[in-house]
Amino acid sequence: MGVLPVNRLLVTMSIPMVVSMLVQALYNVVDSMFVAQINENALTAVSLAFPVQNLMIAVGTGTGVGVNALLSKSLGQKDFDKANRTANHAVLLAACSYLVFALLGGFFSRWFFEVQTDVQEIIDYGTSYLVICCVFSFGMFGQFAFERLLQSTGKTFYTMITQGIGAIINIIFDPILIFGLIGFPEMGVAGAAAATVFGQIVAAVLAIILNHYKNDEVRISLKKFRPEWKIIRQIYGVGVPSIIMSSIGSVMTFGMNKILIAFSTTATAVFGVYFKLQSFAFMPVFGLNNGMVPIVAYNFGARKPKRMMRTIWLSIAYALGIMAIAIVIAQTIPDKLLLIFNASENMMEIGIPALRIISLGFLFAGFDVIIGSVLQALSHGFMSLSLSLLRQLIVLLPVAYLLSLTGNLQIIWWAFPLSEIASATLSAIYFVIIRKKDIQSIQPAANDH
């Protein structure tokens, strides 16, 4: 990571992650696509469950960001013992995270839906779906932990394999378990959850095997293992802001669902469909980030500011390119996208202008996401947190609520591009600050090129 040409290194590390993220986006869409065949209430139930699922993902990925940054930095400093201890803690923290969500999901899932709607069918669908996702989430947390260890050492090709296989299993078993094909019981919405957790468990097992046989830089050994609070603090020093930042998405989604459901359950279903579709734009950028962060962190530890800046500029350029493609698609064929989810005439009437309006902010969002990850890689987690707060809470929800007072549903969607513009402005300011303070102030190593 300190010697290969930057563009080649970034592409080599990112492409497998981009591909795997696209597969992840595909199986999210397939999940909702099959659920939508049951009825619109089933689709709404899955949409209302998203904040909790996003919170689990936030904890898993946020902890992984902290592990990734500390492990990559330790490897850049040639501190292999600390790298191994960090890997051991990644396993411990994944297990603790699972236990928390298994308990919360098992006891509070029905209550979570009852505070959002009084439609009994939606409550029943949602409860069965969410309980399975939480109680069997050990696969998801294990997958996050062991894939991050592979990413930290540049072995992103193997994470593409684990994520790809997990997603393919989910896609295959979705219709089988939802509709009861080839001798399996018809599970309905619960079948979608069962297919998801089954794919995650298989991916986690495969990630463990690949770490054991293919990841020579990091060795996990829980014999005589004792938690070290210093390492945990260092992991969560970067990870907690990332967790909070991602969790803000759960708060935002919950808030938007409350605003939209006052108009109709169909509006909430449209919002859920948007979140599934936008993953095709954002997931590749997140995959790009997963390739970028260890490069930036490694070269920060190795005192190579030129390589850091080249990596950042290239990442911004690629992210803007991905988002530009997404805008063109959303503007030209929104009706075709909605038909994937068996959209009714009412859903089409609400969804077409929604997708067109929201997508106007995608370019700003691409820049926001890259700069936020750069801040995390350089241990400025709270700067990154403030960006997400501005984007999803400070601007988005209040503006959406104020626009909802007009009684015009379509105007509410303008809150999204407005929040992205505000966040992009703050991102640019932060970028100027960290470039001067953290990057240009580094005394470069002799081989920085």
Side-chain angles (χ1 to χ4, degrees):
M1 286 198 279
V3 295
L4 283 178
V6 171
N7 188 50
R8 177 182 165 191
L9 178 63
L10 180 63
V11 170
T12 301
M13 292 190 64
S14 298
I15 287 296
M17 291 307 304
V18 169
V19 172
S20 63
M21 288 291 188
L22 282 171
V23 174
Q24 293 281 322
L26 176 62
Y27 92 71
N28 284 336
V29 168
V30 170
D31 208 39
S32 294
M33 181 183 73
F34 285 118
V35 166
Q37 304 306 311
I38 300 173
N39 57 46
E40 193 173 289
N41 279 345
L43 179 60
T44 301
V46 173
S47 298
L48 292 178
F50 179 79
V52 176
Q53 289 180 290
N54 186 67
L55 185 60
M56 289 193 290
I57 293 170
V59 172
T61 57
T63 303
V65 167
V67 169
N68 206 339
L70 181 58
L71 204 154
S72 294
K73 187 175 180 180
S74 299
L75 291 174
Q77 295 170 337
K78 310 302 181 185
D79 190 347
F80 300 110
D81 179 63
K82 186 173 184 179
N84 288 332
R85 300 201 315 273
T86 301
N88 289 336
H89 282 79
V91 178
L92 170 68
L93 297 175
C96 292
S97 299
Y98 160 67
L99 289 174
V100 170
F101 280 100
L103 292 172
L104 290 176
F107 289 106
F108 297 105
S109 289
R110 180 167 292 276
W111 170 84
F112 176 74
F113 285 95
E114 288 176 342
V115 300
Q116 296 185 82
T117 181
D118 57 0
V119 179
Q120 193 60 45
E121 187 176 43
I122 294 176
I123 294 171
D124 292 339
Y125 280 148
T127 301
S128 63
Y129 180 85
L130 194 55
V131 167
I132 293 172
C133 287
C134 291
V135 171
F136 294 93
S137 63
F138 58 85
M140 184 190 72
F141 286 108
Q143 182 182 354
F144 279 136
F146 285 94
E147 284 178 351
R148 284 293 182 172
L149 299 183
L150 291 167
Q151 291 169 21
S152 298
T153 55
K155 293 175 175 58
T156 53
F157 174 76
Y158 295 120
T159 61
M160 180 182 71
I161 294 174
T162 58
Q163 292 188 3
I165 289 177
I168 290 169
I169 288 174
N170 183 61
I171 291 170
I172 292 172
F173 278 90
D174 254 334
I176 292 174
L177 297 180
I178 291 173
F179 304 114
L181 306 179
I182 60 174
F184 282 83
E186 181 179 348
M187 298 176 64
V189 175
T196 296
V197 298
F198 181 45
Q200 291 168 345
I201 292 169
V202 172
V205 171
L206 185 57
I208 293 171
I209 293 171
L210 288 172
N211 266 285
H212 181 73
Y213 289 104
K214 300 294 183 180
N215 202 354
D216 296 330
E217 289 91 338
V218 176
R219 284 298 174 194
I220 296 173
S221 177
L222 299 180
K223 293 180 180 179
K224 300 181 180 179
F225 170 72
R226 294 291 183 274
E228 297 179 48
W229 296 113
K230 181 178 180 181
I231 288 181
I232 293 174
R233 285 196 302 270
Q234 288 177 312
I235 289 172
Y236 282 125
V238 176
V240 165
S242 178
I243 291 170
I244 296 173
M245 181 177 64
S246 298
S247 300
I248 290 169
S250 295
V251 178
M252 181 274 291
T253 306
F254 184 84
M256 285 299 300
N257 283 336
K258 293 288 286 184
I259 292 171
L260 294 171
I261 207 166
F263 287 85
S264 69
T265 57
T266 302
T268 305
V270 166
F271 185 54
V273 165
Y274 156 71
F275 253 100
K276 299 294 183 179
L277 292 174
Q278 61 93 34
S279 63
F280 278 105
F282 282 86
M283 285 295 193
V285 177
F286 294 149
L288 180 66
N289 278 347
N290 287 335
M292 177 195 71
V293 167
I295 299 173
V296 172
Y298 182 97
N299 285 285
F300 181 65
R303 295 184 296 111
K304 296 184 177 183
K306 289 183 180 179
R307 289 179 64 82
M308 293 173 65
M309 284 306 304
R310 197 171 295 124
T311 302
I312 294 169
W313 285 122
L314 283 169
S315 298
I316 291 173
Y318 286 134
L320 294 182
I322 291 168
M323 288 301 188
I325 295 171
I327 292 173
V328 171
I329 294 172
Q331 294 295 321
T332 55
I333 56 168
D335 53 333
K336 304 296 190 300
L337 298 176
L338 290 167
L339 285 173
I340 295 173
F341 301 91
N342 197 31
S344 63
E345 184 177 340
N346 189 28
M347 183 179 285
M348 295 286 279
E349 183 180 349
I350 296 172
I352 289 174
L355 293 182
R356 285 177 170 157
I357 292 170
I358 295 173
S359 67
L360 295 175
F362 279 3
L363 279 180
F364 301 101
F367 179 72
D368 293 340
V369 171
I370 294 295
I371 297 304
S373 293
V374 171
L375 292 170
Q376 292 172 12
L378 299 179
S379 299
H380 290 296
F382 286 98
M383 278 188 175
S384 185
L385 170 61
S386 67
L387 286 179
S388 194
L389 281 170
L390 182 70
R391 178 183 172 202
Q392 299 187 71
L393 290 185
I394 297 174
V395 175
L396 179 59
L397 280 184
V399 170
Y401 174 72
L402 290 174
L403 293 177
S404 73
L405 298 180
T406 66
N408 187 336
L409 174 61
Q410 302 302 351
I411 293 178
I412 297 175
W413 309 118
W414 283 100
F416 286 90
L418 290 174
S419 67
E420 297 293 3
I421 292 171
S423 182
T425 302
L426 185 59
S427 294
I429 294 171
Y430 281 163
F431 184 37
V432 171
I433 292 172
I434 64 164
R435 183 181 180 186
K436 181 178 180 180
K437 179 183 176 182
D438 293 334
I439 301 176
Q440 292 179 341
S441 63
I442 296 175
Q443 183 63 37
N447 59 345
D448 180 26
H449 57 274

Short mmCIF file of all heavy atoms in Angstrom, two decimals, residues 24-52:
data_model
loop_
_atom_site.label_atom_id
_atom_site.label_comp_id
_atom_site.label_asym_id
_atom_site.label_seq_id
_atom_site.Cartn_x
_atom_site.Cartn_y
_atom_site.Cartn_z
N GLN A 24 -24.69 -6.63 -2.94
CA GLN A 24 -25.47 -6.37 -1.72
C GLN A 24 -26.70 -5.54 -2.05
O GLN A 24 -27.81 -5.82 -1.58
CB GLN A 24 -24.60 -5.61 -0.71
CG GLN A 24 -23.44 -6.40 -0.15
CD GLN A 24 -23.86 -7.36 0.93
OE1 GLN A 24 -24.73 -7.07 1.74
NE2 GLN A 24 -23.26 -8.53 0.95
N ALA A 25 -26.51 -4.49 -2.87
CA ALA A 25 -27.63 -3.64 -3.27
C ALA A 25 -28.67 -4.46 -4.04
O ALA A 25 -29.88 -4.28 -3.86
CB ALA A 25 -27.13 -2.48 -4.12
N LEU A 26 -28.19 -5.37 -4.89
CA LEU A 26 -29.09 -6.19 -5.68
C LEU A 26 -29.96 -7.06 -4.79
O LEU A 26 -31.18 -7.15 -4.97
CB LEU A 26 -28.29 -7.07 -6.65
CG LEU A 26 -29.10 -8.07 -7.48
CD1 LEU A 26 -30.07 -7.32 -8.39
CD2 LEU A 26 -28.18 -8.96 -8.30
N TYR A 27 -29.37 -7.68 -3.78
CA TYR A 27 -30.19 -8.59 -2.97
C TYR A 27 -31.13 -7.80 -2.05
O TYR A 27 -32.19 -8.29 -1.68
CB TYR A 27 -29.34 -9.64 -2.25
CG TYR A 27 -28.82 -9.38 -0.87
CD1 TYR A 27 -29.68 -9.38 0.23
CD2 TYR A 27 -27.45 -9.25 -0.64
CE1 TYR A 27 -29.19 -9.21 1.52
CE2 TYR A 27 -26.96 -9.09 0.65
CZ TYR A 27 -27.83 -9.06 1.71
OH TYR A 27 -27.34 -8.90 2.98
N ASN A 28 -30.77 -6.54 -1.69
CA ASN A 28 -31.72 -5.70 -0.96
C ASN A 28 -32.95 -5.41 -1.81
O ASN A 28 -34.08 -5.44 -1.33
CB ASN A 28 -31.05 -4.38 -0.56
CG ASN A 28 -30.10 -4.54 0.61
OD1 ASN A 28 -30.23 -5.47 1.40
ND2 ASN A 28 -29.13 -3.65 0.71
N VAL A 29 -32.71 -5.14 -3.08
CA VAL A 29 -33.81 -4.85 -3.99
C VAL A 29 -34.64 -6.11 -4.24
O VAL A 29 -35.88 -6.06 -4.22
CB VAL A 29 -33.29 -4.28 -5.32
CG1 VAL A 29 -34.39 -4.25 -6.38
CG2 VAL A 29 -32.74 -2.87 -5.11
N VAL A 30 -33.97 -7.23 -4.45
CA VAL A 30 -34.68 -8.49 -4.69
C VAL A 30 -35.55 -8.85 -3.49
O VAL A 30 -36.70 -9.30 -3.64
CB VAL A 30 -33.68 -9.62 -5.00
CG1 VAL A 30 -34.38 -10.97 -5.01
CG2 VAL A 30 -32.99 -9.37 -6.33
N ASP A 31 -35.02 -8.62 -2.29
CA ASP A 31 -35.76 -8.86 -1.06
C ASP A 31 -37.11 -8.15 -1.09
O ASP A 31 -38.17 -8.75 -0.89
CB ASP A 31 -34.92 -8.35 0.11
CG ASP A 31 -35.20 -9.11 1.41
OD1 ASP A 31 -35.38 -10.33 1.34
OD2 ASP A 31 -35.22 -8.47 2.46
N SER A 32 -37.07 -6.84 -1.34
CA SER A 32 -38.30 -6.05 -1.36
C SER A 32 -39.16 -6.37 -2.58
O SER A 32 -40.39 -6.30 -2.51
CB SER A 32 -37.96 -4.55 -1.34
OG SER A 32 -37.36 -4.19 -0.12
N MET A 33 -38.52 -6.72 -3.68
CA MET A 33 -39.25 -7.03 -4.89
C MET A 33 -40.18 -8.23 -4.68
O MET A 33 -41.35 -8.20 -5.05
CB MET A 33 -38.28 -7.32 -6.04
CG MET A 33 -38.95 -7.65 -7.37
SD MET A 33 -37.74 -8.06 -8.63
CE MET A 33 -37.21 -9.69 -8.08
N PHE A 34 -39.66 -9.27 -4.03
CA PHE A 34 -40.48 -10.45 -3.77
C PHE A 34 -41.53 -10.18 -2.69
O PHE A 34 -42.67 -10.65 -2.79
CB PHE A 34 -39.62 -11.64 -3.38
CG PHE A 34 -38.88 -12.26 -4.53
CD1 PHE A 34 -37.50 -12.29 -4.56
CD2 PHE A 34 -39.58 -12.82 -5.59
CE1 PHE A 34 -36.82 -12.85 -5.63
CE2 PHE A 34 -38.91 -13.39 -6.66
CZ PHE A 34 -37.53 -13.40 -6.69
N VAL A 35 -41.15 -9.42 -1.67
CA VAL A 35 -42.10 -9.08 -0.60
C VAL A 35 -43.26 -8.28 -1.17
O VAL A 35 -44.42 -8.46 -0.77
CB VAL A 35 -41.39 -8.30 0.52
CG1 VAL A 35 -42.41 -7.65 1.45
CG2 VAL A 35 -40.47 -9.21 1.31
N ALA A 36 -42.95 -7.40 -2.14
CA ALA A 36 -44.00 -6.57 -2.75
C ALA A 36 -45.04 -7.41 -3.47
O ALA A 36 -46.17 -6.96 -3.69
CB ALA A 36 -43.38 -5.56 -3.71
N GLN A 37 -44.68 -8.64 -3.87
CA GLN A 37 -45.64 -9.51 -4.55
C GLN A 37 -46.72 -10.02 -3.60
O GLN A 37 -47.78 -10.48 -4.04
CB GLN A 37 -44.91 -10.71 -5.18
CG GLN A 37 -43.78 -10.35 -6.13
CD GLN A 37 -44.22 -9.41 -7.24
OE1 GLN A 37 -45.23 -9.64 -7.90
NE2 GLN A 37 -43.46 -8.34 -7.44
N ILE A 38 -46.45 -9.96 -2.28
CA ILE A 38 -47.47 -10.38 -1.31
C ILE A 38 -48.57 -9.33 -1.28
O ILE A 38 -49.72 -9.61 -1.58
CB ILE A 38 -46.84 -10.57 0.09
CG1 ILE A 38 -45.74 -11.64 0.05
CG2 ILE A 38 -47.91 -10.94 1.12
CD1 ILE A 38 -44.96 -11.77 1.34
N ASN A 39 -48.21 -8.11 -0.91
CA ASN A 39 -49.10 -6.94 -0.98
C ASN A 39 -48.32 -5.71 -0.54
O ASN A 39 -47.17 -5.81 -0.09
CB ASN A 39 -50.38 -7.12 -0.13
CG ASN A 39 -50.09 -7.42 1.33
OD1 ASN A 39 -49.26 -6.77 1.94
ND2 ASN A 39 -50.79 -8.42 1.87
N GLU A 40 -48.95 -4.56 -0.66
CA GLU A 40 -48.26 -3.30 -0.34
C GLU A 40 -47.98 -3.18 1.15
O GLU A 40 -46.98 -2.57 1.55
CB GLU A 40 -49.10 -2.11 -0.82
CG GLU A 40 -48.33 -0.79 -0.82
CD GLU A 40 -49.11 0.34 -1.45
OE1 GLU A 40 -49.28 0.32 -2.69
OE2 GLU A 40 -49.56 1.24 -0.71
N ASN A 41 -48.84 -3.75 1.99
CA ASN A 41 -48.59 -3.71 3.44
C ASN A 41 -47.33 -4.48 3.82
O ASN A 41 -46.60 -4.09 4.74
CB ASN A 41 -49.79 -4.28 4.21
CG ASN A 41 -50.91 -3.27 4.36
OD1 ASN A 41 -50.71 -2.08 4.15
ND2 ASN A 41 -52.09 -3.74 4.72
N ALA A 42 -47.05 -5.56 3.11
CA ALA A 42 -45.82 -6.32 3.36
C ALA A 42 -44.60 -5.47 3.03
O ALA A 42 -43.62 -5.45 3.77
CB ALA A 42 -45.83 -7.60 2.54
N LEU A 43 -44.67 -4.75 1.90
CA LEU A 43 -43.58 -3.86 1.52
C LEU A 43 -43.42 -2.73 2.53
O LEU A 43 -42.29 -2.37 2.89
CB LEU A 43 -43.84 -3.29 0.12
CG LEU A 43 -42.79 -2.32 -0.43
CD1 LEU A 43 -41.42 -3.00 -0.54
CD2 LEU A 43 -43.22 -1.79 -1.80
N THR A 44 -44.53 -2.19 3.01
CA THR A 44 -44.47 -1.13 4.01
C THR A 44 -43.86 -1.64 5.31
O THR A 44 -43.07 -0.93 5.95
CB THR A 44 -45.89 -0.58 4.29
OG1 THR A 44 -46.45 -0.07 3.07
CG2 THR A 44 -45.85 0.54 5.31
N ALA A 45 -44.20 -2.85 5.70
CA ALA A 45 -43.65 -3.43 6.93
C ALA A 45 -42.13 -3.54 6.87
O ALA A 45 -41.42 -3.19 7.81
CB ALA A 45 -44.27 -4.80 7.18
N VAL A 46 -41.63 -4.02 5.74
CA VAL A 46 -40.18 -4.13 5.57
C VAL A 46 -39.54 -2.76 5.57
O VAL A 46 -38.44 -2.56 6.11
CB VAL A 46 -39.86 -4.90 4.26
CG1 VAL A 46 -38.37 -4.88 3.97
CG2 VAL A 46 -40.35 -6.35 4.37
N SER A 47 -40.22 -1.78 4.98
CA SER A 47 -39.70 -0.41 4.97
C SER A 47 -39.63 0.16 6.38
O SER A 47 -38.66 0.83 6.75
CB SER A 47 -40.59 0.49 4.10
OG SER A 47 -40.62 0.04 2.76
N LEU A 48 -40.66 -0.11 7.19
CA LEU A 48 -40.67 0.39 8.56
C LEU A 48 -39.62 -0.30 9.44
O LEU A 48 -39.18 0.26 10.44
CB LEU A 48 -42.06 0.20 9.18
CG LEU A 48 -43.19 1.06 8.59
CD1 LEU A 48 -44.52 0.72 9.26
CD2 LEU A 48 -42.89 2.54 8.73
N ALA A 49 -39.21 -1.50 9.05
CA ALA A 49 -38.18 -2.22 9.81
C ALA A 49 -36.79 -1.68 9.53
O ALA A 49 -35.85 -1.97 10.28
CB ALA A 49 -38.23 -3.71 9.48
N PHE A 50 -36.65 -0.91 8.47
CA PHE A 50 -35.32 -0.48 8.02
C PHE A 50 -34.52 0.26 9.09
O PHE A 50 -33.30 0.02 9.20
CB PHE A 50 -35.44 0.40 6.77
CG PHE A 50 -34.11 0.90 6.28
CD1 PHE A 50 -33.26 0.09 5.55
CD2 PHE A 50 -33.70 2.19 6.57
CE1 PHE A 50 -32.03 0.54 5.11
CE2 PHE A 50 -32.47 2.66 6.14
CZ PHE A 50 -31.63 1.84 5.41
N PRO A 51 -35.10 1.15 9.91
CA PRO A 51 -34.28 1.84 10.91
C PRO A 51 -33.53 0.90 11.84
O PRO A 51 -32.37 1.16 12.18
CB PRO A 51 -35.30 2.70 11.68
CG PRO A 51 -36.37 2.97 10.68
CD PRO A 51 -36.47 1.69 9.88
N VAL A 52 -34.16 -0.19 12.27
CA VAL A 52 -33.48 -1.14 13.16
C VAL A 52 -32.39 -1.89 12.40
O VAL A 52 -31.27 -2.08 12.91
CB VAL A 52 -34.48 -2.13 13.79
CG1 VAL A 52 -33.74 -3.17 14.63
CG2 VAL A 52 -35.49 -1.38 14.64
#
